[in-house]
Amino acid sequence: MVPQGELRFDPSALSAAQREGDACVVCHKRWPRPRVRVGRLPDGREVVACDDCAPVLPVPRSRPRTTRNDGERDTDAEGPVVEPASATAAAVE
């Protein structure tokens, strides 16, 4: 499960190198190796970006916590699914 407040990325929109953390999730740059953790895949693997691209990613909004009928808080929110800008740009072309 992805921690609340952390971006969750769709792995189908990423290259193999991006899914393995070997390339920036935004610009695909491999060297120097990206080191800023910016989110996770649904299976829990980390997604990274280079120092230049990390600030351009959206800040996740946390879902409001709801109270269930039994009085317990609902905590299974997984957060937003984000498609990297490069995948969106490729789809438009």
Side-chain angles (χ1 to χ4, degrees):
M1 185 164 129
V2 177
Q4 190 172 9
E6 191 168 36
L7 294 175
R8 187 171 55 122
F9 288 81
D10 178 7
S12 67
L14 304 176
S15 69
Q18 289 171 315
R19 287 190 302 269
E20 296 301 320
D22 293 330
C24 174
V25 71
V26 178
C27 71
H28 299 269
K29 183 167 67 172
R30 290 178 171 225
W31 186 257
R33 186 174 177 158
R35 62 178 186 215
V36 181
R37 187 177 82 194
V38 294
R40 293 193 179 268
L41 297 173
D43 65 6
R45 289 183 290 169
E46 293 181 350
V47 174
V48 293
C50 61
D51 293 333
D52 295 332
C53 292
V56 302
L57 291 168
V59 176
R61 293 181 295 160
S62 58
R63 283 190 355 196
R65 298 181 86 180
T66 58
T67 304
R68 299 186 308 223
N69 290 338
D70 60 4
E72 292 293 320
R73 288 203 175 254
D74 185 10
T75 59
D76 60 340
E78 292 185 6
V81 175
V82 176
E83 230 178 76
S86 58
T88 306
V92 174
E93 294 175 3

